[in-house]
Amino acid sequence: MTVAEFAAADSGEFTGALLALWWDGHGDWQKAHEIAQDVPGADGAWVHAYLHREEGDAGNAAYWYRRAGRGVAEGDLRREWEDIVAEMLARG
């Protein structure tokens, strides 16, 4: 599945971190955040980090990037969203 196909798909096709990203991609940050908070492990932390960066809370985002084992992202938020989605989709 491509990132474009992911964005066009129905939310019912996804769970966990991908579901949180789907909701964020459809403009519902709050729902995305609620889901991400309940996703265990590095993927949940990564999405949680991205969401806090999007929110503008750099300190909280940095904490979650560390929990995810990733460097703090910079630059275009949409590009980061696409990169996260692509990586998670590639894993199957």
Side-chain angles (χ1 to χ4, degrees):
M1 174 179 284
T2 67
V3 173
E5 290 168 336
F6 171 82
D10 183 80
S11 66
E13 295 186 37
F14 309 106
T15 60
L18 280 171
L19 182 58
L21 289 164
W22 188 93
W23 280 108
D24 182 68
H26 288 82
D28 195 335
W29 184 95
Q30 188 63 41
K31 186 156 184 94
H33 185 255
E34 288 171 10
I35 293 166
Q37 290 183 111
D38 292 332
V39 177
D43 283 351
W46 190 16
V47 173
H48 205 161
Y50 160 78
L51 290 168
H52 282 293
R53 188 168 90 87
E54 180 180 31
E55 179 188 33
D57 187 347
N60 202 0
Y63 167 80
W64 287 104
Y65 282 115
R66 284 191 304 276
R67 294 272 314 259
R70 303 213 173 238
V72 175
E74 298 178 353
D76 184 68
L77 284 164
R78 180 64 184 185
R79 178 63 190 202
E80 182 183 7
W81 182 89
E82 290 172 357
D83 289 347
I84 299 169
V85 169
E87 183 175 322
M88 291 185 183
L89 288 173
R91 293 185 209 151

